[in-house]
Amino acid sequence: MPELRWRAGEELRSLRLEGEPVGIGRASDNDIVMKDFSVSRHHARVERRGSSWWVVDLGSTNGVKINGRYQPEAPLSDGDRIQVGNFTIVFHSADSAERESVVSSTLIRSIDEFCESFPLEVEPSAAPAAASARERVLEALARVARTLLEVEELEPVLEKVMEAVFAQLPADRAYLLLITGPDRSELRMARSRGGKPLTKAPVSQTMLELVTRQKVAILTSDAQVDERFAAGLSVRMHQIRSAMCAPLWYRDAVIGVLYVDTPLASGCFHAEHLDLLTALANYAAVAIERAKLNDSIREQKRIRERLERYHSPAVVEAIVGHHRSGSSPDRHETREVSVLFADIVGFTQRCEGMEPTEVAAFLTQFFSLATDSVFEFGGTVDKFIGDAIMAFFGAPLAQPDHAERAVLAGLAIRRRLKRWNRERLLAGLDAVEVRVAINSGLVVVGDIGSATRVDYTVLGNTVNVAARIEDAVAKPGQVVLGAATQKAVAHIFPTEHLGNIELRGLKAKLPVFRVLTEELTGAGE
């Protein structure tokens, strides 16, 4: 009578075929139950067709091999070897004393099935003393997980992953690739045993695609003879033999792969090694995502600290938000902005009788009130020039009402200056007067400077004209506007034409206007 024979651990088992179909799989309702995750729940069926017996693949993850070849179904002859996951079943048409050893050529394990057996959300250090394969895996993880997850920066995390791989697995080479986009990956770390860096990653693209798209971990005892991989260029060129590849998965996303191999020897890895690599890949993915988040937080902190020197808190938040979304502005760009200059009247004479510390304290008070006025209306402080402040509106974030904002900031400087002067008069000090000029137009804006130092600033004729108006036209207490600024705000603020003025360095005379502050109430007065 025909029978099937296989090994379960050290035990040799057999089942006689008496006419009814025989189910093979991991689930308990099969006739042949194989408790191993290399076997699908309902992996295969052996059934009678006429006078012959056939084996049928029931859509299993790892497939069914008949005498070393993957086949969806095939008739069975005496001595045929049926490979189901990590087991080999031998078909005998008559009694035989033949005993088969169980050898796996290729093992594919889905992440979902792995997680059923290894709940990695549980603290690995809680694993009991190693007895079963599952417990040995968890015990090994307990030795590396804590160290791995405590590292905060990305590159040290990748180094720790490599150290753990060689400490836990008999691999000669290890490669870690991170996914950078659809069908794109980047080699981030490659090491040989002993720590020597490697420059190339002979990873089978077939294996890589299978791991990332189907979320499975793969073990091949000899990629040179495996039909799925042997045709691959990388496998043939680099003589890849024993290899394992596991996805770096974090929650439901695959962010990369962890690949190990031994190029010269076959049969170096077994199922427990694949379990270790799969679990290690999960902890590595969690640590990598944490490190990326930490790197992002540190970068945002650096950006914020730099921006806070120039921008109002509201503008800083908006810029950081744009940076997080990947839509930060170009290094240089052309923008229409409004440029403001505010300068202390008679500063040189004022400083003649003052100590340097007094001058510094005096300027600090003025620059503070001027900066608060600029920030109040979403402007950017470009720089302090002696006793003057230069600011602009309309960048880095676009502000269609930049001219109005600039005028409001100029009036706010006057308002705060009046308050400061009241305090100075009460203290027996003289009053301070300021000239303000604003001009609108196109500028180049962005990080400008040398290889070692840059400033976020604006350049162009618009800036030069604003500086000339402040220096040559504006009188103490006045807010003077260029033509473009006046045109943009004439419906909001009353202005007076001061005539067409010839400015130093410019051929044509330019019309200038002053804001009639004596007619204003509210924001300016």
Side-chain angles (χ1 to χ4, degrees), residues 76 173 186 196 200 322 339 386 399 449 456 481 496 500 511:
L76 296 172
R173 303 182 300 194
E186 175 189 6
K196 181 181 178 182
K200 295 182 180 180
H322 277 245
V339 181
Q399 295 167 327
Y456 187 79
L481 313 179
E496 176 189 10
N500 294 342

Side-chain angles (χ1 to χ4, degrees), residues 354-374:
M354 299 172 64
E355 295 294 329
T357 54
E358 294 177 308
V359 174
F362 174 79
L363 285 177
T364 297
Q365 288 180 291
F366 169 66
F367 288 147
S368 295
L369 73 84
T371 298
D372 290 344
S373 301
V374 171

Side-chain angles (χ1 to χ4, degrees), residues 438-440 465-466 469 473 480-487 496-503 506 508-514:
I438 301 166
N439 190 43
S440 304
V465 171
I469 293 174
V473 179
V480 181
L481 313 179
T485 308
Q486 190 271 344
K487 182 179 179 180
E496 176 189 10
H497 185 214
L498 299 178
N500 294 342
I501 308 298
E502 184 176 345
L503 298 176
L506 301 175
K509 293 183 177 181
L510 299 178
V512 293
F513 305 80
R514 78 175 180 93

Side-chain angles (χ1 to χ4, degrees), residues 233-476:
L233 180 62
S234 57
V235 170
R236 288 183 281 108
M237 286 182 59
H238 298 279
Q239 292 295 300
I240 298 173
R241 295 282 182 184
S242 296
M244 295 190 295
C245 189
L248 296 168
W249 91 96
Y250 177 66
R251 296 177 179 170
D252 294 327
V254 175
I255 65 169
V257 298
L258 186 55
Y259 172 90
V260 299
D261 68 11
T262 55
L264 301 179
S266 60
C268 293
F269 304 124
H270 52 71
E272 189 173 320
H273 292 140
L274 186 63
D275 292 337
L276 268 169
L277 182 71
T278 305
L280 180 58
N282 176 245
Y283 281 111
V286 174
I288 288 170
E289 287 299 298
R290 288 179 67 255
K292 285 182 177 179
L293 178 60
N294 289 334
D295 287 348
S296 176
I297 291 172
R298 281 189 289 270
E299 177 63 19
Q300 288 181 28
K301 183 179 179 181
R302 285 193 293 268
I303 292 172
R304 187 182 297 276
E305 288 174 348
R306 181 172 175 273
L307 292 175
E308 284 172 348
R309 295 160 49 196
Y310 307 106
H311 307 296
S312 67
V315 172
V316 170
E317 288 300 325
I319 295 172
V320 172
H322 277 245
H323 182 80
R324 276 196 297 262
S325 64
S327 58
S328 55
D330 295 334
R331 185 175 177 84
H332 302 128
E333 57 183 333
T334 300
R335 283 280 188 90
E336 184 171 323
V337 305
S338 291
V339 181
L340 177 150
F341 279 87
D343 176 54
I344 297 174
V345 177
F347 177 72
T348 302
Q349 293 81 0
R350 180 185 297 276
C351 291
E352 285 181 347
M354 299 172 64
E355 295 294 329
T357 54
E358 294 177 308
V359 174
F362 174 79
L363 285 177
T364 297
Q365 288 180 291
F366 169 66
F367 288 147
S368 295
L369 73 84
T371 298
D372 290 344
S373 301
V374 171
F375 285 178
E376 181 181 353
F377 295 99
T380 295
V381 173
D382 187 302
K383 59 178 67 71
F384 302 120
I385 311 167
D387 61 321
I389 182 173
M390 173 184 166
F392 55 89
F393 300 77
L397 301 179
Q399 295 167 327
D401 58 346
H402 55 82
E404 179 184 350
R405 290 170 179 267
V407 174
L408 287 170
L411 297 174
I413 291 175
R414 283 172 46 88
R415 184 180 71 244
R416 286 184 168 89
L417 186 66
K418 285 185 176 182
R419 187 183 307 145
W420 186 33
N421 280 332
R422 285 195 295 267
E423 295 172 358
R424 289 179 61 82
L425 292 173
L426 289 173
L429 301 173
D430 60 340
V432 178
E433 292 185 296
V434 173
R435 297 186 296 258
V436 177
I438 301 166
N439 190 43
S440 304
L442 292 176
V443 299
V444 174
V445 59
D447 287 330
I448 297 171
S450 68
T452 56
R453 175 181 169 81
V454 296
D455 285 315
Y456 187 79
T457 188
V458 290
L459 298 175
N461 189 58
T462 298
V463 181
N464 298 333
V465 171
R468 299 286 189 272
I469 293 174
E470 186 274 321
D471 180 60
V473 179
K475 299 294 189 293

Side-chain angles (χ1 to χ4, degrees), residues 90-266:
V90 181
F91 173 80
H92 292 281
S93 58
D95 289 342
S96 171
E98 181 182 1
R99 296 294 183 261
E100 298 293 333
S101 63
V102 184
V103 179
S104 172
S105 175
T106 298
L107 175 61
I108 300 177
R109 177 164 299 172
S110 76
I111 297 304
D112 290 340
E113 290 180 343
F114 174 85
C115 289
E116 289 182 16
S117 181
F118 298 93
L120 297 181
E121 295 80 5
V122 178
E123 177 66 33
S125 60
S132 66
R134 175 181 181 279
E135 291 164 351
R136 285 194 298 272
V137 170
L138 292 176
E139 185 181 57
L141 285 174
R143 292 194 293 267
V144 300
R146 188 173 302 279
T147 300
L148 190 60
L149 296 179
E150 284 178 353
V151 181
E152 294 188 350
E153 297 183 5
L154 182 57
E155 290 304 315
V157 164
L158 303 184
E159 292 284 357
K160 289 294 183 183
V161 171
M162 289 293 142
E163 292 176 9
V165 165
F166 291 117
Q168 301 297 330
L169 300 170
D172 292 332
R173 303 182 300 194
Y175 306 90
L176 192 151
L177 297 89
L178 296 181
I179 294 174
T180 56
D183 300 318
R184 296 199 310 272
S185 60
E186 175 189 6
L187 178 64
R188 290 301 304 269
M189 189 70 64
R191 295 285 187 272
S192 64
R193 182 170 290 277
K196 181 181 178 182
L198 302 173
T199 57
K200 295 182 180 180
V203 182
S204 163
Q205 288 301 310
T206 305
M207 186 180 297
L208 187 64
E209 291 175 5
L210 185 62
V211 166
T212 55
R213 292 181 181 177
Q214 297 188 19
K215 295 183 181 179
V216 296
I218 297 174
L219 180 159
T220 176
S221 295
D222 193 342
Q224 296 291 316
V225 299
D226 192 295
E227 295 174 356
R228 305 189 193 197
F229 313 121
L233 180 62
S234 57
V235 170
R236 288 183 281 108
M237 286 182 59
H238 298 279
Q239 292 295 300
I240 298 173
R241 295 282 182 184
S242 296
M244 295 190 295
C245 189
L248 296 168
W249 91 96
Y250 177 66
R251 296 177 179 170
D252 294 327
V254 175
I255 65 169
V257 298
L258 186 55
Y259 172 90
V260 299
D261 68 11
T262 55
L264 301 179
S266 60

Side-chain angles (χ1 to χ4, degrees), residues 28-41:
S28 58
D29 59 348
N30 289 284
D31 300 285
I32 299 178
V33 178
M34 295 176 167
K35 292 292 186 180
D36 190 281
F37 281 100
S38 64
V39 181
S40 296
R41 293 181 183 278

